[in-house]
Amino acid sequence: MPNSEHRKKASEVLKERGIDGDVIAVKIDGKMYDLDALVEEDATIEPVRVDSPEGIEILRHSASHIMAQAVYRLYPGTKYGVGPAIENGFYYDMDVPVAITEEDLPKIEDEMKRIASEAIPFERLVMSKEEAMRLFQERGDVYKLEILKDIEDDTVSLYRVGEFIDLCRGPHVPNTSYVKHFKLLSLAGAYWRGDERNPMLTRIYGTAFPSEEDLLAYLTKIEEAKRRDHRRIGKELDLFSLQNEAPGFPFFHPKGVVILNTLVDFWRKVHIQRGYQEIKTPLILDQDLWIRSGHWDHYRENMYFTEIDEKPFAIKPMNCPGGILVYKTQLRSYRDLPLKLAELGVVHRHERSGVLHGLMRVRCFTQDDAHIFTSEEHIKEEITDIMEMVQYIYGVFGFPYHIELSTRPENAMGDKVLWDKAEQALQEALEDRGVEYKLNPGDGAFYGPKIDFHLEDCIGRTWQCGTIQLDFQMPEKFDITYIGPDGEPHRPVMIHRTILGSLERFLGILIEQYAGAFPYWLAPVQVKILPVSDEHLPYAKKVASALQKKDVRIEVDLKEGTLGKKIRDAQMQKIPYMLIIGNREVEKGVVSVRDRSKGDLGSMSLEALVELLGNEYHPLKDDF
């Protein structure tokens, strides 16, 4: 801020205006500052309250500094990487001289509480870059020195809290006593700057909230998320596995494949109803194709390569160039449009080992992709149709969602005029439908702006799955055309879209949404028959055969054990229905039925059971 003799601390100005209480920072002329920043008389000043989104971010960033200070006290010689606030919490990457484990977190947390009780001020320091480098050189903090070398400004800001000094822009809470409600959650290894060639640092995760109630609610949510963890449930239900021999490439077991195939059957029926045609394109394509599409310049570091006949090829990270090649196999007319080409395309994308996470972040997955080639005048109509599909499909699984519109990024490909046209078309389509959306400037794909659909699961977490990307660029790059009513060639518009996104990731989301207790139509085993003893097996197999003919997914428990154990096992496997068969059932030609959630339903004939199962909801049966 410029020098002036007529300045006061922001905290004094707020006090004069009767603003106090839960204010932890200020906005001065729209920029964030600490409360002790000096304010010009004519400046616009706004309070930043602790329970606002900006205030919570400041609180968490301050908590990360307090955690780093606690580690500084407990483990002398620690060197520090970065410690940002993140969604729902914070972390700090540190090079600790001794190995620390989860068992050490309570000790660090106790030290943080001591620091908070000391009400140590967060003191902002401004010095030249050279002074800062000397300071961190004296402290032996090689990571801060590396960050400083990349800074082009002549001056930098630092924050001192007690004996700990950190390179930081701020702002921060006035003192450590403002950070009362926090919890350290976990630790992990993290390569410095995300590069496997760099040292592995210790990353400690934590969270902080303005109130004890908010903190406890979040910790309860975390415990519920752990209970629903798809990696644990997937193993318990024998759905999939992750093997050291193929990191990032999941193995799907028979029951997992049943769910995936059921999803695909549903997906395929919806698309047939909407006029899509399904295609299948190669896994490996010539490198020149990826150069032409723009992926080589914008996505090369995430691609895998191979060589065939001494020519370079790439394993596809996306399906769109293959869809364009299919389009180009024929001369297209305006009467062919819109041409809707859907593909369950397997793609490979390189992810760093540190970010791999079960089915949620993998290196190989199946996209429920589609590419729609249409004329400019029909853009809104096609986007509306996709949005209706999204609404229906997410509704089947019980997912509410919100929409975000992302516009031209810095690394955008192509003519800005075409980008402006594409952004306007998406915005108008959203506004014509009267839907609310969040604007994300600069977050579009490199070839076009996009609409993203973020679904919300039963514990409030959001997942970005569906997307609509409007592309004027690739039709230009590949020179694709259609013959219009005037007999002249015209350039089509290309709409890229997914709804489920990655089938693998969507399965992971479903596992956590249902905590493994899939609805009847998705359950890999819908009915399990529990014979009381081996003498009841012939009748059990007869019942199984009759139900299989009705397309019921059935399993007979052939293991030894008591009936009670068999029921418990079926409950643990979260199977919708259990059929108990003993002497009485064999004699009367009936089955005793247990519902997964309702318990004992009593005895019924096979015909009554088939009717009961036939009344279970199934989108392929009930919605078409």
Side-chain angles (χ1 to χ4, degrees):
M1 296 179 64
N3 291 327
S4 171
E5 296 179 358
H6 306 287
R7 294 188 297 173
K8 295 180 180 179
K9 285 187 177 181
S11 57
E12 294 175 356
V13 175
L14 293 175
K15 189 174 181 180
E16 289 172 359
R17 297 179 184 179
I19 301 171
D20 53 12
D22 58 357
V23 176
I24 60 170
V26 290
K27 281 185 182 178
I28 302 173
D29 293 334
K31 294 183 179 181
M32 302 281 286
Y33 290 92
D34 299 303
L35 279 176
D36 61 359
L38 296 177
V39 184
E40 301 286 347
E41 282 187 341
D42 58 350
T44 301
I45 180 169
E46 302 171 62
V48 176
R49 300 189 181 276
V50 69
D51 58 356
S52 68
E54 293 155 322
I56 291 173
E57 184 176 352
I58 292 169
L59 182 77
R60 290 172 176 163
H61 190 191
S62 300
S64 78
H65 280 236
I66 293 173
M67 179 178 72
Q69 184 189 4
V71 172
Y72 188 91
R73 288 182 176 183
L74 294 170
Y75 305 99
T78 295
K79 299 176 178 62
Y80 296 87
V82 294
I86 57 175
E87 185 179 4
N88 296 322
F90 60 87
Y91 70 79
Y92 215 117
D93 289 342
M94 296 171 279
D95 191 347
V96 187
V98 298
I100 60 175
T101 66
E102 301 274 353
E103 287 70 33
D104 296 306
L105 297 185
K107 179 170 67 173
I108 299 171
E109 201 172 280
D110 287 342
E111 189 62 37
M112 290 176 67
K113 291 175 182 175
R114 274 190 286 273
I115 292 169
S117 69
E118 294 169 15
I120 304 170
F122 275 84
E123 180 186 359
R124 187 169 189 267
L125 308 172
V126 178
M127 61 181 69
S128 69
K129 179 177 172 179
E130 290 73 19
E131 286 178 293
M133 292 192 75
R134 284 196 296 271
L135 173 64
F136 287 111
Q137 184 75 50
E138 291 169 4
R139 299 169 76 92
D141 217 328
V142 293
Y143 304 107
K144 296 299 180 186
L145 288 171
E146 188 174 327
I147 294 171
L148 277 164
K149 287 176 184 176
D150 293 337
I151 294 176
E152 297 180 358
D153 296 339
D154 294 331
T155 60
V156 293
S157 64
L158 298 85
Y159 276 81
R160 186 202 310 273
V161 53
E163 60 272 47
F164 179 70
I165 300 177
D166 203 357
L167 185 66
C168 182
R169 292 190 184 93
H172 282 284
V173 296
N175 66 64
T176 58
S177 70
Y178 281 70
V179 183
K180 298 182 180 74
H181 312 294
F182 55 84
K183 180 72 176 175
L184 298 187
L185 302 172
S186 62
L187 56 82
Y191 290 108
W192 170 235
R193 293 192 158 180
D195 191 331
E196 289 98 333
R197 295 167 295 183
N198 288 337
M200 174 75 77
L201 306 183
T202 298
R203 175 174 292 181
I204 301 179
Y205 287 96
T207 191
F209 284 88
S211 71
E212 184 73 12
E213 293 79 9
D214 289 340
L215 176 61
L216 291 175
Y218 180 71
L219 295 178
T220 300
K221 182 177 174 180
I222 287 179
E223 287 305 310
E224 181 63 16
K226 288 179 182 177
R227 188 180 75 82
R228 294 171 177 268
D229 191 313
H230 74 284
R231 294 166 297 180
R232 178 183 60 78
I233 294 175
K235 183 177 181 180
E236 290 174 354
L237 300 187
D238 196 25
L239 303 179
F240 69 92
S241 61
L242 303 166
Q243 312 279 355
N244 292 333
E245 291 81 359
F249 299 88
F251 292 72
F252 288 96
H253 301 191
K255 291 179 181 177
V257 171
V258 168
I259 302 173
L260 287 173
N261 285 342
T262 304
L263 282 174
V264 167
D265 289 343
F266 167 60
W267 178 92
R268 190 166 276 135
K269 183 70 176 287
V270 173
H271 282 71
I272 290 171
Q273 291 282 331
R274 294 272 180 171
Y276 286 79
Q277 302 174 67
E278 191 172 348
I279 63 171
K280 187 175 179 63
T281 62
L283 191 65
I284 300 174
L285 294 161
D286 191 305
Q287 180 175 293
D288 288 343
L289 180 75
W290 302 105
I291 293 172
R292 189 174 184 183
S293 71
H295 290 91
W296 180 261
D297 291 332
H298 295 85
Y299 209 75
R300 181 172 51 200
E301 68 277 8
N302 298 104
M303 296 172 66
Y304 295 111
F305 300 93
T306 187
E307 192 174 275
I308 302 173
D309 297 333
E310 300 181 353
K311 282 190 64 178
F313 283 74
I315 301 172
K316 66 178 180 181
M318 298 177 187
N319 299 300
C320 32
I324 291 173
L325 293 183
V326 171
Y327 181 93
K328 286 174 67 73
T329 58
Q330 298 180 31
L331 180 65
R332 308 289 179 176
S333 159
Y334 72 95
R335 297 180 186 275
D336 300 320
L337 304 186
L339 181 63
K340 303 180 180 183
L341 301 179
E343 179 174 15
L344 293 164
V346 177
V347 298
H348 289 72
R349 299 179 184 178
H350 180 64
E351 298 281 3
R352 296 186 183 277
S353 58
V355 301
L356 297 176
H357 179 74
L359 300 179
M360 305 303 195
R361 198 77 177 261
V362 293
R363 289 170 171 159
C364 172
F365 56 93
T366 308
Q367 280 188 311
D368 71 317
D369 230 334
H371 296 97
I372 301 165
F373 300 88
T374 189
S375 58
E376 286 189 33
E377 56 265 30
H378 290 106
I379 288 174
K380 289 184 192 177
E381 181 182 333
E382 294 309 313
I383 291 172
T384 296
D385 184 69
I386 297 169
M387 291 176 71
E388 288 174 354
M389 288 179 72
V390 169
Q391 184 174 1
Y392 165 66
I393 290 174
Y394 288 176
V396 164
F397 301 102
F399 288 124
Y401 62 91
H402 72 270
I403 295 172
E404 298 186 4
L405 172 62
S406 300
T407 57
R408 187 173 185 268
E410 289 184 8
N411 66 341
M413 178 177 76
D415 188 344
K416 186 178 182 299
V417 173
L418 293 178
W419 272 88
D420 292 342
K421 186 186 295 186
E423 288 174 5
Q424 182 179 355
L426 288 183
Q427 188 169 358
E428 288 178 359
L430 288 169
E431 291 174 356
D432 285 353
R433 280 186 60 82
V435 299
E436 295 183 5
Y437 64 92
K438 175 186 174 185
L439 184 64
N440 291 328
D443 202 34
F446 67 84
Y447 48 78
K450 60 178 182 168
I451 295 171
D452 288 331
F453 300 88
H454 297 255
L455 59 83
E456 182 179 327
D457 68 17
C458 61
I459 59 174
R461 297 171 301 183
T462 57
W463 308 89
Q464 192 271 304
C465 292
T467 186
I468 303 172
Q469 300 170 353
L470 186 55
D471 183 2
F472 285 83
Q473 311 299 331
M474 286 199 191
E476 291 279 346
K477 279 189 164 288
F478 285 91
D479 191 26
I480 59 175
T481 60
Y482 66 92
I483 302 302
D486 56 2
E488 297 296 322
H490 296 266
R491 188 80 69 205
V493 177
M494 187 175 180
I495 301 173
H496 310 242
R497 56 111 281 216
T498 66
I499 296 178
L500 303 181
S502 153
L503 292 190
E504 290 78 1
R505 183 166 177 259
F506 197 76
L507 174 57
I509 294 169
L510 288 180
I511 291 171
E512 299 194 355
Q513 168 79 352
Y514 300 125
F518 294 100
Y520 177 84
W521 73 278
L522 270 180
V525 177
Q526 296 170 316
V527 176
K528 189 156 189 175
I529 300 178
L530 312 178
V532 175
S533 67
D534 287 351
E535 66 182 282
H536 306 115
L537 276 175
Y539 181 64
K541 291 178 179 179
K542 179 181 177 182
V543 171
S545 177
L547 291 176
Q548 283 169 338
K549 291 175 182 176
K550 299 293 184 180
D551 292 328
V552 177
R553 295 191 287 271
I554 199 91
E555 194 174 87
V556 180
D557 190 333
L558 300 174
K559 298 190 296 293
E560 292 184 2
T562 65
L563 178 61
K565 183 178 185 305
K566 291 181 178 182
I567 292 173
R568 285 194 299 275
D569 288 347
Q571 285 287 149
M572 292 295 291
Q573 289 293 303
K574 306 179 188 296
I575 294 168
Y577 289 100
M578 290 161 268
L579 307 182
I580 298 167
I581 293 177
N583 290 332
R584 188 172 65 85
E585 286 75 24
V586 173
E587 290 169 5
K588 295 187 175 183
V590 297
V591 291
S592 289
V593 184
R594 284 183 64 87
D595 181 282
R596 175 176 60 196
S597 55
K598 298 176 183 176
D600 187 11
L601 300 183
S603 296
M604 61 182 69
S605 66
L606 198 55
E607 292 76 14
L609 174 64
V610 169
E611 183 179 357
L612 172 70
L613 300 179
N615 288 331
E616 283 281 357
Y617 170 75
H618 196 304
L620 297 182
K621 170 176 65 69
D622 295 345
D623 296 343
F624 292 94

